[in-house]
Amino acid sequence: MDVRILRYFLAVAREENITRAAEILHIAQPSLSKQLIELEQELGKTLLIRGKRKITLTEEGVLLRKRAEEIIALVDKTESELRAENESLCGEVAIGGVPTQSVLEAAATLRIRFPEVRFRFFSGDATDTTERLDHGTLDFAILLRPVDTVKYEFIPLSGTAQWGLLLPANHPLTQKTGISRTDLCSVPLILHQRIGLQLDIAHWAGIDVEQLDIAATYNIVHGTPTQYVQSGLGAFLLTSSQLNGVSSELCFRPLDPPLTIEYALVWKRYAVMSKPAAAFLSQIKTL
């Protein structure tokens, strides 16, 4: 597959219209249509459903879009690294996951020393983040410990976060200083869809996952979980590190006994790092 054709395909997928995509790409519409048909023939799959008003992707088209985005990102990243001048440190450091304070401080310090270094932060669930780390479109990922040391190297990040419940301010459990195992089992919960985290919570409570009253699950929360709690759907199980921006009308109560998590900065074992990525790693090790 030609990278140029993948860029054409992504433009059509984004615009949902061949004519608009052709205008953006500055090529003739018949030529673009022909190359997309040839791509489908090459792959032996129908990628686009050509409707009267817009184009939609087939299941195979959705998969190709995901892979094409990763391929293009890796190509662009590689070209940027190769074009960087040897005498000055410049380029991009790509980091997946929610950045901790130490990660942001290291990034800011490195930028003071090398203003031409820039950072790209990617938000996604653990599965998507590690997949991009494996493919090379991310230099680092911020993941929960423990880490798979067969595939990855890591350094622990300073600080821990404590699990607890986010509740309406008038909820009876806010009268307590901590949430007991019995308390946790008495309310409907909104929690992360990762089975590993659910198992950790159930193990803390001394029950099976099936015994938790799970009202809803999520993979990523955009913004804050305030609206979930205010809707009455359930108590939101989260860590103290996720409380920024939460409404003052809600209360956080930690689990008691405490259940904490630790984060790590992770990179692919035996990965060949770019100069900016290596400089960032050296910087964060000093904190």
Side-chain angles (χ1 to χ4, degrees):
M1 278 183 288
D2 189 325
V3 172
R4 176 175 54 87
I5 303 302
L6 290 181
R7 293 186 190 275
Y8 290 174
F9 171 76
L10 287 176
V12 173
R14 182 175 59 251
E15 296 299 323
E16 298 181 337
N17 184 282
I18 290 182
T19 300
R20 285 200 302 271
E23 292 173 353
I24 291 171
L25 295 168
H26 303 292
I27 62 175
Q29 186 269 334
S31 175
L32 178 57
S33 295
K34 180 175 180 293
Q35 292 183 76
L36 292 174
I37 291 172
E38 290 175 350
L39 176 62
E40 290 179 315
Q41 291 173 345
E42 177 186 351
L43 298 175
K45 299 289 184 180
T46 300
L47 304 172
L48 306 171
I49 300 173
R50 296 161 173 81
K52 292 182 178 179
R53 295 188 177 181
K54 72 173 185 176
I55 286 178
T56 55
L57 300 180
T58 63
E59 184 176 343
E60 291 80 8
V62 171
L63 175 60
L64 180 61
R65 180 180 62 185
K66 177 178 174 61
R67 297 303 181 208
E69 287 172 344
E70 295 170 353
I71 291 168
I72 296 301
L74 185 57
V75 168
D76 290 345
K77 186 172 183 293
T78 303
E79 289 179 348
S80 176
E81 291 169 359
L82 291 174
R83 288 172 180 163
E85 297 181 3
N86 293 329
E87 59 270 19
S88 64
L89 189 66
C90 61
E92 181 183 83
V93 181
I95 303 174
V98 180
T100 65
Q101 187 64 32
S102 58
V103 168
L104 295 174
E105 288 177 1
T109 302
L110 190 65
R111 281 271 303 167
I112 292 172
R113 295 171 56 201
F114 304 104
E116 293 186 36
V117 172
R118 63 185 182 277
F119 289 83
R120 174 169 60 87
F121 293 101
F122 169 80
S123 296
D125 60 22
T127 300
D128 197 10
T129 299
T130 53
E131 187 175 290
R132 290 172 183 265
L133 185 65
D134 292 342
H135 291 167
T137 54
L138 291 177
D139 297 302
F140 303 99
I142 300 163
L143 301 175
L144 293 178
R145 297 173 64 186
V147 174
D148 181 356
T149 55
V150 174
K151 292 178 63 177
Y152 307 111
E153 294 186 68
F154 75 96
I155 57 171
L157 295 173
S158 60
T160 61
Q162 189 169 347
W163 285 104
L165 287 184
L166 191 63
L167 301 153
N170 60 356
H171 194 283
L173 288 180
T174 61
Q175 303 303 311
K176 307 181 67 172
T177 58
I179 303 297
S180 69
R181 294 177 173 92
T182 302
D183 294 332
L184 187 73
C185 298
S186 69
V187 293
L189 301 172
I190 304 169
L191 70 167
H192 200 283
Q193 68 180 17
R194 282 179 60 188
I195 188 62
L197 292 179
Q198 294 180 17
L199 288 171
D200 287 344
I201 297 299
H203 178 72
W204 174 87
I207 59 174
D208 294 329
V209 171
E210 292 75 14
Q211 293 176 272
L212 293 172
D213 183 4
I214 301 177
T217 61
Y218 64 91
N219 64 332
I220 301 175
V221 174
H222 295 287
T224 76
T226 296
Q227 60 185 349
Y228 289 87
V229 181
Q230 289 180 333
S231 71
L233 183 59
F236 204 101
L237 188 68
L238 78 172
T239 66
S240 53
S241 62
Q242 298 172 286
L243 292 176
N244 289 339
V246 168
S247 170
S248 59
E249 298 176 1
L250 305 179
C251 289
F252 176 79
R253 292 293 179 266
L255 300 186
D256 184 20
L259 179 62
T260 60
I261 59 172
E262 297 177 324
Y263 291 97
L265 183 72
V266 178
W267 62 96
K268 192 176 178 182
R269 187 172 289 277
Y270 309 120
V272 179
M273 287 191 184
S274 66
K275 290 181 180 180
F280 171 75
L281 183 58
S282 295
Q283 181 66 53
I284 198 168
K285 284 180 177 180
T286 66
L287 297 181

